[in-house]
């Protein structure tokens, strides 16, 4: 149940928050250097990092849950132990992928 709820919440979060960030970024990019500097100042603040890490976690969690659903849609993984294992692993893999993504971004 929690995996299903997280899948819906992360999809909605990416659609609402992610769209807002994307539109702000595009608007700042089109508005000139001063507007873009404001965007980057906010995006690189602690609050901006929280939002960006949250969006990337939402993406990776939604992706792993979507892959789980894809496997279920082809008729595999309905055994109770397999289903429980993948529903537990899905959010954990999302966290690991988010940490790896941010580690790669910050170390490069």
């Amino acid at each position: 149940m929690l995996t299903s709820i997280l899948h819906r919440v992360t999809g909605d979060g990416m659609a609402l928050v992610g769209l807002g960030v994307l539109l702000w970024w595009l608007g700042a990019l089109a508005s000139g250097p001063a507007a873009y500097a404001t965007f980057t100042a906010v995006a690189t603040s602690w609050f901006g990092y929280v939002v960006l890490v949250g969006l990337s976690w939402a993406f990776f969690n939604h992706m792993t849950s979507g892959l789980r659903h894809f496997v279920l849609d082809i008729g595999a993984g309905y055994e109770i132990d397999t289903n429980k294992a993948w529903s537990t692993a899905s959010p954990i893999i999302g966290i690991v992928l988010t940490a790896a993504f941010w580690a790669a971004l910050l170390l490069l």
Side-chain angles (χ1 to χ4, degrees):
M1 180 178 74
L2 179 62
T3 304
S4 179
I5 291 168
L6 280 176
H7 184 74
R8 288 172 175 83
V9 168
T10 55
D12 291 344
M14 285 188 301
L16 298 173
V17 177
L19 180 62
V21 171
L22 176 66
L23 290 176
W24 185 21
W25 175 70
L26 288 173
L29 194 61
S31 297
Y36 193 72
T38 302
F39 173 80
T40 56
V42 173
T44 57
S45 69
W46 71 269
F47 180 73
Y49 279 125
V50 168
V51 171
L52 293 175
V53 168
L55 281 172
S56 59
W57 170 78
F59 171 77
F60 287 118
N61 188 70
H62 196 77
M63 180 186 69
T64 56
S65 182
L67 290 172
R68 178 181 165 268
H69 280 282
F70 177 71
V71 170
L72 290 172
D73 286 345
I74 62 173
Y78 279 105
E79 300 79 22
I80 200 76
D81 292 333
T82 305
N83 199 333
K84 284 179 102 173
W86 279 110
S87 65
T88 303
S90 179
I92 294 169
I93 294 169
I95 291 169
V96 169
L97 289 174
T98 302
F101 173 74
W102 279 96
L105 277 181
L106 295 174
L107 294 176
L108 293 178

